[in-house]
Amino acid sequence: MSKIEKKNRRRKSHAERERIKAKKAASGASYTSAQSGTVHRHRGPEIGPVDGSGFGADRQADMQTASALIGACVEKCRPCQASLADKVLAGDRLVIASLAGSVYSLLPSPGSACSPATQRFHAVAHDTARPGYGPAVLAAVEELNAEDLEALLEDTLDLWAAAAGTAPAAEAGTPDRETDAKEEEAHRYAAASGTAYLMSAGMDQLLSVEEMQGLVEHAEKSAGAGDPVVCFLCDEPIDVAAESEVHVGLSTRTLTVDGRELDAVQPVWTHSGCGRTRIWPWPELMTERQRRGLYVAPDDRQPEKPATQGPRNADYTHFSVARQPGGGTVPLVLVEPGEHDEHGIEGHLAARLSEGFKPVDLTGATPFPVLDGWHLRCERGRMVSVMRAGGGAWYRQEGGYATPGNWRQAARQRKALLLVVPAGTVGDRQGDDWLTAVSRAAEAGHVLGGLVAVRGTLS
């Protein structure tokens, strides 16, 4: 074969690869399906071009990709949901303004499970009587940062998919409002009186199922005996016969008994309107009682925080690749706060457990836990945030963190292992020192996290 023929063949091969790339980008399908012509097509609601004049814009919004995205949600096609959502997020924000404005302008409330960004957007979209309503809706969408825009789109898709067909199912590691509802339901205990007892996330790591059920029985029996449980955040009795929902959390503390220090947990009962259920370090619970003007024993009183604080130390983030139990590898992201929790390791662990993080076994003996509704957001291979459905950005880095090539390659499976450790655990240790520090933390039960989805662009 002559040099000219070889050169022409290389050009043709390159042109073919570029054609397949373009087809993949347009369809959201994998390389193999794009090459074979079996790309996914999801029929969504018939949404024609939207005239932007009602939003104060002199352009039309092409809604074809958004319609296909809704169809992918209805048909629960996870790969297409991810690829099509990224296209919508990167496109004209008039598309999202139209999708979100058309539903939230009609709803009397945004719903309790939606993100803070959606709650703020609803306040604008629902005010349809105000002059300039349309331009205000588009302006509200255009002002959102990337994480809040994604949260608004996910909330909006839930409503569109529910109206168009079956709402998208919650899948492991995929952000979904339905996931939050199922997680909450898993922590809900129903009593014979009709009252629902909502247990804090993370309680199942500190108490057995029998012990949690025992808390419900204790509350019911105490009410029957005329000695009801008392809300820790208002000091008023909780009438379990009248309350539709009672929140149950825990407080962790260290007690000294006969000269020995013992770790103890204590149930924290609260009215649903007094504060969300959570796991409290005892000093933090006492601080909150002081703030609310409630009685705190002299030995438990906490010093007031200083009015001004110095610059905050930067958080530490480490990227690596871990071997999964059962074979294969998974990209790993470890996040370590730059500042110690004011209530020590106890406070750090209590906060993370309350947020839904789970203990991670790094010995390979058990599978990694899955954090439903959590995901990493990457932009051009840089990790910019960690997000939780319904909660917006849990962790954000302006400009993003650069990720190594082997991490990005492993992340193409669209999942990663997120680990969180207390401040001072790892720092800038490298190599074997890094592995030893993480292993010791895991043995002590200080490594929390789980598998999360990876969204965005990796190159």
Side-chain angles (χ1 to χ4, degrees):
M1 183 181 295
S2 69
K3 290 183 178 180
I4 294 177
E5 287 175 324
K6 288 181 179 178
K7 189 173 183 180
N8 288 337
R9 176 169 290 187
R10 285 197 299 271
R11 284 177 175 173
K12 184 177 180 181
S13 176
H14 175 74
E16 177 65 11
R17 287 196 299 270
E18 291 302 308
R19 182 188 67 79
I20 292 170
K21 280 184 181 179
K23 191 173 183 180
K24 173 186 173 183
S27 66
S30 66
Y31 179 94
T32 304
S33 63
Q35 188 177 31
S36 63
T38 57
V39 295
H40 290 175
R41 295 188 182 278
H42 300 287
R43 185 182 180 88
E46 296 291 340
I47 307 176
V50 172
D51 184 358
S53 61
F55 294 88
D58 58 354
R59 64 185 185 276
Q60 282 192 332
D62 186 344
M63 307 299 290
Q64 288 186 351
T65 303
S67 178
L69 174 56
I70 295 170
C73 292
V74 172
E75 296 176 19
K76 307 173 187 177
C77 181
R78 185 174 165 191
C80 287
Q81 287 182 54
S83 61
L84 292 171
D86 285 339
K87 286 174 68 72
V88 171
L89 289 166
D92 188 349
R93 294 201 173 192
L94 179 57
V95 171
I96 298 178
S98 177
L99 284 178
S102 61
V103 291
Y104 284 110
S105 63
L106 302 175
L107 295 179
S109 72
S112 60
C114 73
S115 69
T118 301
Q119 293 175 4
R120 294 192 299 270
F121 175 80
H122 175 268
V124 176
H126 192 58
D127 191 9
T128 56
R130 181 165 53 87
Y133 146 75
V137 167
L138 179 57
V141 173
E142 290 179 336
E143 290 171 0
L144 295 176
N145 59 36
E147 292 85 0
D148 287 345
L149 183 69
E150 183 171 351
L152 174 61
L153 177 61
E154 288 173 356
D155 285 328
T156 301
L157 288 173
D158 284 346
L159 298 174
W160 271 93
T166 304
E171 300 180 52
T174 302
D176 199 309
R177 295 300 169 276
E178 205 169 293
T179 299
D180 273 353
K182 288 185 177 181
E183 284 183 353
E184 184 175 290
E185 195 61 34
H187 297 124
R188 192 181 299 275
Y189 284 69
S193 64
T195 302
Y197 291 81
L198 185 62
M199 305 286 180
S200 170
M203 282 182 65
D204 54 348
Q205 306 297 332
L206 301 173
L207 300 178
S208 67
V209 173
E210 292 75 16
E211 288 171 326
M212 288 192 288
Q213 185 62 48
L215 293 176
V216 174
E217 296 172 357
H218 168 72
E220 296 287 309
K221 289 179 180 178
S222 296
D227 184 23
V229 294
V230 175
C231 175
F232 263 73
L233 297 181
C234 73
D235 278 352
E236 295 295 327
I238 300 177
D239 186 350
V240 297
E243 296 282 341
S244 60
E245 184 175 274
V246 175
H247 286 204
V248 189
L250 288 177
S251 178
T252 56
R253 63 188 305 192
T254 301
L255 300 176
T256 302
V257 180
D258 297 331
R260 296 181 303 163
E261 288 191 345
L262 301 175
D263 293 330
V265 295
Q266 177 175 339
V268 176
W269 308 93
T270 56
H271 294 101
S272 59
C274 286
R276 69 180 182 87
T277 177
R278 56 167 295 188
I279 299 173
W280 298 80
W282 186 257
E284 188 174 349
L285 181 58
M286 295 301 103
T287 299
E288 181 61 19
R289 286 181 56 83
Q290 285 177 215
R291 188 186 72 80
R292 296 182 181 223
L294 303 175
Y295 172 77
V296 175
D299 291 344
D300 287 327
R301 294 195 66 82
Q302 304 298 308
E304 293 186 8
K305 296 180 182 178
T308 58
Q309 296 180 344
R312 189 182 185 282
N313 291 330
D315 296 333
Y316 171 74
T317 304
H318 183 89
F319 297 91
S320 183
V321 177
R323 188 168 299 279
Q324 294 195 83
T329 59
V330 64
L332 179 153
V333 178
L334 181 139
V335 176
E336 177 182 329
E339 299 284 348
H340 290 275
D341 190 284
E342 62 179 314
H343 302 294
I345 289 180
E346 177 188 71
H348 168 87
L349 296 176
R352 301 295 83 78
L353 288 170
S354 291
E355 290 165 343
F357 287 93
K358 302 174 183 178
V360 179
D361 178 8
L362 297 179
T363 65
T366 58
F368 297 138
V370 174
L371 298 185
D372 290 321
W374 290 78
H375 72 274
L376 305 178
R377 161 60 61 177
C378 295
E379 292 181 4
R380 297 184 179 181
R382 300 178 70 88
M383 193 194 86
V384 295
S385 63
V386 178
M387 297 186 66
R388 184 174 190 269
W394 175 83
Y395 184 71
R396 179 185 289 124
Q397 173 62 32
E398 191 67 31
Y401 283 105
T403 58
N406 63 338
W407 189 93
R408 294 193 298 275
Q409 184 63 33
R412 295 191 183 282
Q413 62 186 286
R414 291 294 171 178
K415 68 178 179 181
L417 178 62
L418 173 64
L419 302 180
V420 184
V421 297
T425 299
V426 180
D428 58 359
R429 296 181 180 90
Q430 300 295 325
D432 292 339
D433 289 341
W434 186 88
L435 292 173
T436 300
V438 175
S439 297
R440 286 176 178 170
E443 290 173 3
H446 296 168
V447 176
L448 304 179
L451 293 171
V452 301
V454 175
R455 298 287 304 276
T457 55
L458 295 171
S459 60

